[in-house]
Amino acid sequence: MFSNYLIGMREGLEASLVVCILIAYLVKTGRRDALRPIWTGISVAVALALGFGCVLEFGSQELTFQAQEALGGSLSILAVGLVTWMVFWMRRTARHLKSELHGRLDAALAMGTGALVATAFLAVGREGLETALFVWASVHAAGDGTPRPLIGVALGLATAVLLGWLFYRGALRINLAKFFTWTGGMLVVVAAGVLAYGVHDLQEADLLPGLNSLAFDISGTIPPDSWYGTLLKGVFNFQPDPTVVQVTVWLLYLVPTLALFLAPVGFASGKGKVKSPDEQGTQPDDRNSAQSKAPRT
């Protein structure tokens, strides 16, 4: 449940910050008339993400077992690739996200309502689709037959919305650079578990060999149905009897990816920390922030 909560909060907070930046910029520059197209684009993006998740969940139920495992394994690996790209992208570009969004919004304002809808849709839609895919893969990997993974995701998303609102109101200020670094590192660990589970799915679909070649089996020490076995599976997608291929892939992904992510570059070597929208001058009540601060192209 914790891993799914982390996914929902981490991914949801990125989308929340995007929304905060867009809304605050329009309010600050006196373009409240453009808020409705922005909210329309955001709503369409959220609906698309929910629809994509439903297609993944209910569409796969009509397949044979082997086809389900092949689809689940393939989408799990794709989800890991996307989330890995996402955490590195956010680590590298978060400091410039505000100016980038402002530039897109200025161009959309000049083009009209349709462009505003498209800008909001594209800004939030990518995050939504990535979140839907990774959440589906993580819930599929948990596979405990309970609603706890979905509850965890829902709580994480609710937390993200609350944090986004507090940032917008200026009631919360935290070091976002450190926040995204630590949560990104934990997300890499979760992704490693999802990747190992995806490989196991492909083995069960007879697309990869070695299904019966176990690296170890500690089911007697850590029973999967025990509270600590359930906890380990929920947090790390831990499996007490993984195959050799699973362990090999897990190590080959986790060690270099985590080392690169935590290396002293990007945030760590940046000239300043990532600030909340109000700290960056996007607080709508900050009358001292001139409209001339809008990025120029």
Side-chain angles (χ1 to χ4, degrees):
M1 183 173 175
F2 173 77
S3 62
N4 293 286
Y5 174 82
L6 175 65
I7 294 168
M9 181 183 67
R10 177 63 162 72
E11 300 292 302
L13 184 57
E14 288 186 22
S16 293
L17 290 177
V18 169
V19 172
C20 285
I21 291 172
L22 292 176
I23 299 301
Y25 183 67
L26 290 176
V27 171
K28 186 184 68 174
T29 55
R31 292 302 307 270
R32 290 180 178 272
D33 58 301
L35 289 177
R36 179 171 293 181
I38 292 296
W39 281 116
T40 300
I42 292 170
S43 300
V44 173
V46 172
L48 178 64
L50 291 174
F52 180 57
C54 290
V55 169
L56 289 175
E57 176 61 25
F58 298 110
S60 62
Q61 294 179 2
E62 303 299 323
L63 302 175
T64 65
F65 172 78
Q66 190 172 20
Q68 284 183 8
E69 297 303 297
L71 177 64
S74 301
L75 291 180
S76 294
I77 293 172
L78 176 61
V80 170
L82 288 174
V83 80
T84 303
W85 173 83
M86 179 272 299
V87 295
F88 276 96
W89 176 84
M90 178 56 76
R91 181 175 186 265
R92 185 180 66 253
T93 63
R95 288 171 296 165
H96 314 293
L97 181 63
K98 171 176 168 283
S99 60
E100 180 182 337
L101 288 173
H102 283 182
R104 293 180 183 178
L105 200 53
D106 284 336
L109 285 168
M111 295 175 65
T113 301
L116 287 171
V117 174
T119 298
F121 172 78
L122 292 175
V124 179
R126 180 181 61 82
E127 299 289 346
L129 292 176
E130 288 179 358
T131 302
L133 179 57
F134 196 58
V135 164
W136 180 86
S138 180
V139 171
H140 180 70
D144 59 1
T146 70
R148 285 180 297 183
L150 292 177
I151 293 174
V153 172
L155 290 175
L157 291 173
T159 302
V161 172
L162 176 61
L163 290 175
W165 182 78
L166 290 174
F167 276 123
Y168 178 79
R169 302 303 302 174
L172 181 64
R173 298 184 182 185
I174 64 174
N175 190 317
L176 288 179
K178 291 183 178 179
F179 175 84
F180 280 120
T181 297
W182 284 106
T183 57
M186 288 188 287
L187 207 56
V188 168
V189 176
V190 173
V194 173
L195 178 61
Y197 189 87
V199 168
H200 186 266
D201 276 353
L202 294 181
Q203 289 180 305
E204 290 192 327
D206 292 330
L207 296 178
L208 288 178
L211 179 60
N212 297 317
S213 180
L214 301 183
F216 54 82
D217 187 351
I218 55 175
S219 301
T221 305
I222 307 179
D225 56 352
S226 64
W227 69 267
Y228 44 92
T230 303
L231 179 64
L232 288 172
K233 183 173 180 62
V235 176
F236 302 110
N237 286 310
F238 173 78
Q239 184 178 337
D241 55 347
T243 65
V244 173
V245 176
Q246 280 184 276
V247 173
T248 301
V249 169
W250 185 83
L251 288 172
L252 289 176
Y253 169 82
L254 180 64
V255 175
T257 303
L258 201 56
L260 286 172
F261 183 77
L262 297 178
V265 293
F267 282 154
S269 63
K271 294 182 180 180
K273 70 177 183 177
V274 179
K275 300 178 182 179
S276 60
D278 60 296
E279 291 177 298
Q280 293 177 330
T282 59
Q283 181 69 9
D285 294 330
D286 187 1
R287 303 306 179 188
N288 295 324
S289 297
Q291 295 184 11
S292 60
K293 286 187 177 181
R296 302 177 183 274
T297 55

